[in-house]
Amino acid sequence: MEQLLQINELSVDFQTPNGSLNAINKVSLQMGRGEVVCLVGESGSGKTITSLSIMRLIDYSKGKIVQGDITLDGNSLVGLSQKEISQLRGKKIAMIFQEPMTALDPVFTIGFQISEVILRHQKVSKLKAKEEAIQLLRRVGIPEPEMRYNQYPYELSGGMRQRAMIAIALACGPELLIADEPTTALDVTIQAQILNLLQELRKELGMSILLITHDLGIAAEMADRVVVMYAGQIVEQSKTLPLFEQPHHPYTQGLLRSIITLEQDRSARLYTIDGAIPSLTALPSGCRFHPRCPYATERCRAEEPALESIDDREVACWHASELQQNDHPLRLAAEQRERERTLELSGRRSDAVLDYDSLAEVEPLISVQGLKKHFPVKSGLLQLSKRHVRAVDGVSFDIYKGETFGLVGESGCGKSTLGRVLLQLDRATGGQVLFKGKDLLQQNVKERKNVRSEMQIVFQDPYGSINPRWTIEDIIGEPLWVHESLKGAAKREKVQEVMKLVGLNPSWYNRYPHEFSGGQRQRIGIARAIVLRPDFIVADEAVSALDVSVQSQVINLMQDLQEQLGLTYLFIAHGLTVVRHISSRIGVMYLGKLVEVAPTDELFAHPAHPYTKALLSAIPVADPTARREYAPIQGEMPSPASPPSGCRFHTRCPAATDRCRTEEPQLQSIGTGHRVACHYPL
Amino acid sequence: MVKYIINRLILAVPVILGSLTLVFLIIHWLPGDPARMLAGDDHAEDRIQYLQEQLGLNRPLWVQYFTYLWDSMRGDFGHSFANQQPVMDRLLSQLPSTAELAVVSTIFAIITGITLGILSAVYRNRLVDYVIRIVSLFGVSMPKFWLGILLILIFSVHLHLLPAIGNGSFKQVILPAFALGVTGAGILARMVRNSILEVIEDPFVTTLRAKGVTERKVLYLHVLRNALLPSLTIIGVIFVGMLEGAVVTETVFARQGIGKMVVDAIGQKDIPVIQASILICAVFNIVVNLLVDISYSFVDPRVRQQSA
């Protein structure tokens, strides 16, 4: 294959007030014409910095290429001035970014922003540029491109914006497209559509794609070759199939084992890589992965391994080839340790098995009946509301003591609102929420305060949901002060007790949130939620913002706590594999309605609603031999302010009939504990 | 849009009513009887009583209040206590001079403030930036009366370049407009600098650079348009603030105008004049803020959507 991009021993430093900081170290990689290379690794591994260096955009964030070379088509990019490189950007190399919400200029139209790049690099008239822009919008699958041309970014959904970003990137027919986590911010159904679009465009235009992702499922689906980065270095690169079949580097092995699959045993604890990715200011000696590596030896601690060719790939590990032998002592020893650990932990988690036949006789911990939450859309004089956004529109289900009820659906389906309404953080518009038999909607202020100590919430964003100016003792202890008037030593004692419980060092009680990593902050959030020993916890996307390995640690912790403290969870998430692992029963939401409720294994084995089925098949599978050829579901969720008539899913349903368009299906039982709202259940 | 403006104007009614009421109450609570002040050294009770009757001050307070509200709504602000002139005439004669001062100094503040703000952001943490930041700090913190006196001393007394007092010619506006506009320029310069530096960190700027858009265009087309949005509100506030500033500035430079008129009126407890001036200020404030909000919707499509 003809070489397109070559990166040789690239090192980038950042200037900080405390001196320069090495962000990526001697990164070398090649890309052929038309090749798709995936750069994978956890946050902080240097993937984005590598990609920004290719574009020389790193100069704008105080970064500096201190060593090495980047050549495109044989021409070096490192020596170019910003003015010279800007003539290549958008023309020969284009880039799309993670956040379609913020990556477009909010005060210019989509059309302007596409035409802008055409006019910059091609000698065409404004009218011609407009024509081309509309063509591009049509090509990336934006309906009514003439109208969209004149719209502003805020008028488009996230998926549409990402399509518009792709249109901008494609405008001048680049040879290399860099896509930095292009689907991370999108729903799994939209993600499948966008990945599919990228595949099509590559075939059509023959460009190379450097795809940066933390999701190995995406890498398996898209990549010809995979490059694994860790702490600013490449640790392994190989063709996709061999990498997934036989990962050589222990970090790659760990990453692959951390993937939660749809097949794995739900009663087992999740595999985790110990510890977390090191900060650039405190890199370990020798091999940077050695503190987390199960095979680490003295040599790993002392000397840094170089990237070397072994078998059909490049690996930076002292023991890479030895570890390929099944009976090598290092491997046997690690396996023994692993066995001991598993033995020690096994049996700790029993899936809260419910006898679904006798559920009718058990009183649920929480019973939701016909719950509604409508947000008025205010307009006109005196803000008289005319329309409502029906975020939650008549939802009924029960949650039993000790179980985990998973709630899934695309963003905007109302799942978070439902969680907030259950906790009385938002007032319901109608319906009932019975907690231990008492209707929470009828309670007065004092009763509501009391019941709040029995139900708590863990939020998604471990950065935004804790007060940065409080010590963690104050953060975790605030509920104790509010509900039990505890202060001083008594409060600290209890705080340190829960800190131990969630795996935080109790002597850190007087530290501030910024001193903790994302995973640790989420532990702080969990500690705050359990400090009053509640019965019920809503976990609203509690692990979505975390890296794969850290995510597994937090899920294991949540399950341990559930066993120890007898907690009941409502686990709200869009990551289906995670929900499958943790939940005993799952509810699927679409546009404010519950469309299917079933025990987890039943739901995954026999999804009865077409929407559930589409969601399940939209999950990227970390198996390069099982690539999908098409996106499982087209279109996007309509606005909850004007939901479609009849079955709300009919606009996207492949099996919709006239009946679906007019008659709204009710949730009906189709088996033990399995209910579905569809006229024609699968 | 028209509907939006009508909505806003209707919402302005309670604001105006409120400020009318507040002014009325404050003035009548203040110590000092205007009739006694008018009577001067003549302390004869029957003279004072006569004046009170003449001015309508002997009526019950609520009668005075509603008469005042009713008259104000009809645009009749009554007659000045001091010289019996219709208040409307006085206002109209003083307004042009103050308007001239306010407009000139606002334009000065906008041009200087935005230019300095941009320069400061472009040369961030370099000498130019430091100098501009110190200068704008001076601008913000310098008392207007002191700056006014200083300007008169330098440019009129010593250099004989510009006239110190009076109004009529453009030359006479320069010094007071400068003294009045410096605060706004300082505020604006700091504001523009900060918002440029904030916007330039936004992810969409990286997208623009990745498209190959030239730095000049990135800065002057995209970043500036986004960064000036918050400044629009400040410009409104600065312009309204010029009216208050005029009170001091017109006094220092002995210029005619609303500011000076109010100062004199307060000294004489000339109730109709005070009330009318406050009303004008309130209306002015509302109109400027409305204009700011309307202009917002021209620059920011997101606002346009909401107000449509």
Side-chain angles (χ1 to χ4, degrees):
Chain A
M1 195 183 300
E2 195 192 340
Q3 288 293 327
L4 176 70
L5 176 79
Q6 262 192 313
I7 303 179
N8 272 325
E9 305 226 316
L10 183 74
S11 294
V12 173
D13 280 7
F14 278 92
Q15 303 307 320
T16 72
N18 307 319
S20 69
L21 199 64
N22 179 246
I24 56 172
N25 184 255
K26 294 189 185 166
V27 166
S28 298
L29 72 93
Q30 290 81 41
M31 279 183 74
R33 217 171 268 283
E35 195 179 25
V36 178
V37 174
C38 272
L39 209 51
V40 301
E42 293 172 280
S43 43
S45 60
K47 320 183 286 285
T48 297
I49 293 167
T50 307
S51 68
L52 289 177
S53 305
I54 300 171
M55 290 286 252
R56 290 277 310 285
L57 288 170
I58 203 74
D59 305 27
Y60 292 103
S61 19
K62 295 193 181 126
K64 195 166 180 283
I65 296 175
V66 289
Q67 193 199 334
D69 197 16
I70 305 168
T71 57
L72 184 77
D73 261 344
N75 303 316
S76 170
L77 302 180
V78 173
L80 297 182
S81 69
Q82 277 297 333
K83 206 175 162 196
E84 290 164 327
I85 186 98
S86 82
Q87 287 164 354
L88 299 180
R89 285 189 205 132
K91 190 179 177 192
K92 292 195 115 184
I93 321 172
M95 191 158 180
I96 53 180
F97 300 90
Q98 175 172 355
E99 274 294 337
M101 297 296 169
T102 52
L104 292 166
D105 187 338
V107 301
F108 287 91
T109 61
I110 297 293
F112 179 91
Q113 299 188 52
I114 302 176
S115 300
E116 186 178 31
V117 65
I118 299 173
L119 291 169
R120 166 76 172 93
H121 296 294
Q122 294 171 12
K123 287 203 171 75
V124 293
S125 67
K126 280 194 174 167
L127 203 67
K128 184 84 179 48
K130 183 179 176 179
E131 270 171 36
E132 276 185 38
I134 290 174
Q135 277 297 330
L136 281 161
L137 284 172
R138 187 172 291 124
R139 177 61 200 92
V140 296
I142 292 183
E144 300 169 88
E146 286 87 359
M147 185 190 81
R148 297 289 178 187
Y149 183 90
N150 290 316
Q151 283 189 326
Y152 291 88
Y154 74 95
E155 295 174 276
L156 271 63
S157 69
M160 286 298 154
R161 282 187 227 196
Q162 199 57 297
R163 285 173 195 269
M165 274 297 300
I166 295 175
I168 291 174
L170 294 180
C172 298
E175 291 166 30
L176 172 63
L177 175 69
I178 302 174
D180 187 356
E181 302 269 10
T183 57
T184 308
L186 305 175
D187 277 311
V188 65
T189 52
I190 309 298
Q191 162 170 299
Q193 295 173 10
I194 297 286
L195 292 178
N196 194 50
L197 174 66
L198 286 176
Q199 289 278 32
E200 278 176 31
L201 291 169
R202 176 181 75 120
K203 277 184 205 138
E204 202 175 297
L205 308 171
M207 63 188 172
S208 312
I209 301 181
L210 180 63
L211 182 66
I212 294 164
T213 179
H214 67 278
D215 186 338
L216 284 158
I218 293 177
E221 189 157 316
M222 301 284 293
D224 297 320
R225 215 148 45 78
V226 179
V227 177
V228 184
M229 286 191 79
Y230 183 78
Q233 291 177 324
I234 292 180
V235 295
E236 181 163 6
Q237 55 174 319
S238 149
K239 285 216 177 328
T240 308
L241 201 59
L243 185 102
F244 278 86
E245 278 179 344
Q246 212 176 18
H248 277 35
H249 196 284
Y251 178 60
T252 319
Q253 293 170 4
L255 275 184
L256 283 172
R257 284 190 66 186
S258 302
I259 300 172
I260 310 171
T261 67
L262 290 179
E263 288 80 34
Q264 81 192 37
D265 176 12
R266 290 178 40 234
S267 66
R269 287 164 59 89
L270 292 175
Y271 177 83
T272 60
I273 308 175
D274 292 337
I277 203 163
S279 131
L280 292 174
T281 50
L283 288 173
S285 64
C287 170
R288 292 181 180 180
F289 185 60
H290 87 252
R292 304 175 72 188
C293 182
Y295 311 112
T297 60
E298 268 317 308
R299 187 173 188 198
C300 305
R301 279 181 268 276
E303 289 174 68
E304 193 171 337
L307 202 61
E308 278 174 32
S309 292
I310 296 167
D311 303 336
D312 46 359
R313 69 189 72 201
E314 288 179 9
V315 192
C317 174
W318 290 124
H319 305 297
S321 43
E322 298 158 29
L323 289 174
Q324 293 313 305
Q325 305 158 14
N326 279 333
D327 52 353
H328 193 275
L330 268 180
R331 198 159 151 174
L332 292 176
E335 274 164 11
Q336 180 60 30
R337 277 198 302 277
E338 179 70 26
R339 256 197 304 279
E340 280 160 19
R341 197 168 72 158
T342 331
L343 215 63
E344 183 188 316
L345 300 168
S346 66
R348 276 177 69 181
R349 169 160 196 252
S350 55
D351 194 6
V353 184
L354 295 168
D355 182 1
Y356 295 100
D357 292 321
S358 58
L359 273 189
E361 290 135 46
V362 187
E363 195 197 1
L365 181 70
I366 288 187
S367 179
V368 179
Q369 278 151 28
L371 192 65
K372 283 183 188 168
K373 177 67 192 175
H374 294 182
F375 293 102
V377 183
K378 298 214 165 120
S379 61
L381 179 63
L382 305 175
Q383 303 284 290
L384 294 176
S385 52
K386 294 172 194 153
R387 298 188 311 153
H388 287 88
V389 169
R390 300 163 177 213
V392 177
D393 203 16
V395 166
S396 307
F397 64 98
D398 296 330
I399 302 176
Y400 296 91
K401 186 154 180 50
E403 77 166 339
T404 299
F405 188 87
L407 199 59
V408 297
E410 288 166 283
S411 48
C413 74
K415 52 190 194 301
S416 287
T417 307
L418 177 57
R420 293 177 59 85
V421 174
L422 281 195
L423 296 185
Q424 306 301 305
L425 295 173
D426 278 331
R427 292 296 279 166
T429 314
Q432 279 187 319
V433 179
L434 301 174
F435 181 71
K436 296 181 177 171
K438 275 173 273 174
D439 190 352
L440 297 183
L441 267 59
Q442 306 300 326
Q443 287 183 322
N444 62 34
V445 177
K446 191 158 171 263
E447 286 169 327
R448 208 178 308 141
K449 184 183 166 186
N450 287 337
V451 86
R452 281 208 167 130
S453 66
E454 299 176 45
M455 41 205 322
Q456 290 292 321
I457 186 165
V458 179
F459 295 97
Q460 168 172 12
D461 181 1
Y463 295 88
S465 61
I466 50 184
N467 189 335
R469 286 177 184 77
W470 281 21
T471 64
I472 67 167
E473 179 190 356
D474 292 334
I475 293 165
I476 299 173
E478 191 182 18
L480 291 171
W481 179 73
V482 171
H483 288 279
E484 294 169 12
S485 309
L486 284 188
K487 280 178 201 154
K491 185 173 86 171
R492 178 168 308 164
E493 196 181 313
K494 282 217 166 184
V495 167
Q496 290 184 319
E497 199 181 302
V498 279
M499 283 178 71
K500 218 179 291 171
L501 215 52
V502 298
L504 291 168
N505 186 338
S507 65
W508 294 340
Y509 67 88
N510 56 357
R511 295 196 181 181
Y512 288 89
H514 71 263
E515 298 175 68
F516 293 89
S517 70
Q520 286 171 326
R521 285 185 210 213
Q522 205 54 309
R523 286 172 197 263
I524 296 172
I526 292 173
R528 174 179 59 183
I530 63 167
V531 73
L532 289 171
R533 299 296 145 88
D535 295 310
F536 176 61
I537 289 181
V538 173
D540 189 357
E541 301 274 11
V543 297
S544 314
L546 305 174
D547 271 316
V548 200
S549 66
V550 180
Q551 176 176 306
S552 301
Q553 292 168 7
V554 173
I555 290 173
N556 285 344
L557 170 71
M558 286 184 67
Q559 292 194 311
D560 291 347
L561 291 172
Q562 182 167 38
E563 298 256 314
Q564 286 169 36
L565 309 176
L567 296 170
T568 305
Y569 290 133
L570 174 66
F571 193 88
I572 301 169
H574 64 277
L576 284 151
T577 49
V578 172
V579 175
R580 174 184 172 273
H581 177 80
I582 198 171
S583 311
S584 29
R585 288 191 305 139
I586 293 176
V588 182
M589 268 187 95
Y590 186 78
L591 265 182
K593 295 270 185 191
L594 208 52
V595 297
E596 187 165 5
V597 185
T600 303
D601 292 326
E602 166 75 9
L603 186 88
F604 279 78
H606 310 290
H609 199 284
Y611 178 61
T612 312
K613 191 160 186 239
L615 274 186
L616 297 188
S617 47
I619 307 168
V621 184
D623 178 1
T625 57
R627 293 192 174 181
R628 285 171 303 179
E629 292 299 314
Y630 57 92
I633 181 172
Q634 297 303 323
E636 297 184 3
M637 199 164 71
S639 157
S642 48
S645 62
C647 172
R648 293 187 176 180
F649 185 59
H650 84 250
T651 50
R652 298 167 79 188
C653 184
T657 64
D658 281 339
R659 187 177 170 206
C660 301
R661 280 181 268 280
T662 50
E663 190 188 329
E664 189 178 327
Q666 297 304 314
L667 212 53
Q668 50 181 324
S669 180
I670 55 160
T672 333
H674 194 162
R675 292 188 299 154
V676 64
C678 179
H679 293 308
Y680 311 101
L682 300 167
Chain B
M1 199 62 196
V2 176
K3 208 175 139 205
Y4 170 72
I5 295 172
I6 292 172
N7 274 344
R8 287 287 305 266
L9 287 177
I10 293 172
L11 288 173
V13 172
V15 177
I16 292 178
L17 266 181
S19 47
L20 283 176
T21 309
L22 210 62
V23 173
F24 179 85
L25 290 176
I26 291 173
I27 290 177
H28 285 271
W29 265 325
L30 282 177
D33 182 347
R36 264 178 215 281
M37 291 170 87
L38 271 182
D41 293 336
D42 184 1
H43 288 300
E45 277 306 311
D46 52 344
R47 164 91 180 132
I48 289 168
Q49 224 163 20
Y50 168 76
L51 279 171
Q52 278 181 337
E53 261 169 52
Q54 279 286 302
L55 304 174
L57 292 169
N58 56 346
R59 294 169 301 168
L61 209 55
W62 64 271
V63 176
Q64 290 187 44
Y65 173 66
F66 283 107
T67 322
Y68 150 69
L69 274 193
W70 177 240
D71 287 346
S72 302
M73 260 183 274
R74 290 182 305 159
D76 174 8
F77 298 134
H79 292 73
S80 161
F81 286 178
N83 57 12
Q84 300 305 313
Q85 253 186 336
V87 174
M88 199 57 150
D89 292 355
R90 280 202 67 188
L91 272 180
L92 288 178
S93 68
Q94 300 297 322
L95 203 57
S97 151
T98 303
E100 181 193 26
L101 179 62
V103 168
V104 172
S105 56
T106 304
I107 292 173
F108 162 74
I110 292 174
I111 294 176
T112 328
I114 292 181
T115 314
L116 291 182
I118 294 172
L119 282 174
S120 194
V122 171
Y123 295 97
R124 172 174 30 160
N125 293 336
R126 305 235 292 268
L127 186 67
V128 178
D129 180 27
Y130 291 129
V131 171
I132 292 175
R133 278 158 71 184
I134 291 170
V135 169
S136 39
L137 189 65
F138 264 107
V140 174
S141 33
M142 198 137 36
K144 287 185 188 68
F145 68 90
W146 184 72
L147 180 65
I149 294 168
L150 210 65
L151 288 172
I152 294 177
L153 266 177
I154 297 173
F155 291 95
S156 309
V157 178
H158 286 295
L159 300 174
H160 303 291
L161 283 175
L162 292 162
I165 56 164
N167 36 341
S169 70
F170 182 71
K171 265 192 166 180
Q172 283 163 308
V173 192
I174 296 177
L175 285 187
F178 184 80
L180 187 52
V182 155
T183 315
I187 294 173
L188 212 55
R190 289 152 61 97
M191 174 107 190
V192 168
R193 174 185 188 270
N194 289 345
S195 56
I196 288 181
L197 293 181
E198 215 169 275
V199 172
I200 217 159
E201 297 290 325
D202 278 356
F204 77 80
V205 175
T206 312
T207 309
L208 290 169
R209 286 175 176 148
K211 283 158 72 174
V213 177
T214 54
E215 267 313 285
R216 181 178 289 268
K217 263 197 170 171
V218 169
L219 184 67
Y220 293 104
L221 185 66
H222 292 274
V223 172
L224 206 58
R225 181 136 168 202
N226 279 281
L228 286 185
L229 285 177
S231 307
L232 266 180
T233 317
I234 295 297
I235 290 174
V237 174
I238 288 173
F239 189 51
V240 171
M242 296 298 178
L243 274 193
E244 301 157 33
V247 172
V248 175
T249 314
E250 286 176 352
T251 311
V252 171
F253 288 92
R255 278 176 67 87
Q256 286 189 350
I258 306 261
K260 189 142 185 303
M261 186 180 86
V262 174
V263 174
D264 295 345
I266 290 174
Q268 297 162 338
K269 217 165 179 220
D270 195 342
I271 295 177
V273 176
I274 302 176
Q275 283 172 338
S277 323
I278 304 277
L279 180 66
I280 292 289
C281 281
V283 170
F284 180 69
N285 213 319
I286 289 164
V287 171
V288 170
N289 275 311
L290 180 61
L291 287 177
V292 166
D293 288 350
I294 292 171
S295 63
Y296 240 105
S297 69
F298 279 103
V299 199
D300 191 339
R302 288 163 294 187
V303 178
R304 205 177 307 159
Q305 160 94 357
Q306 283 160 19
S307 54

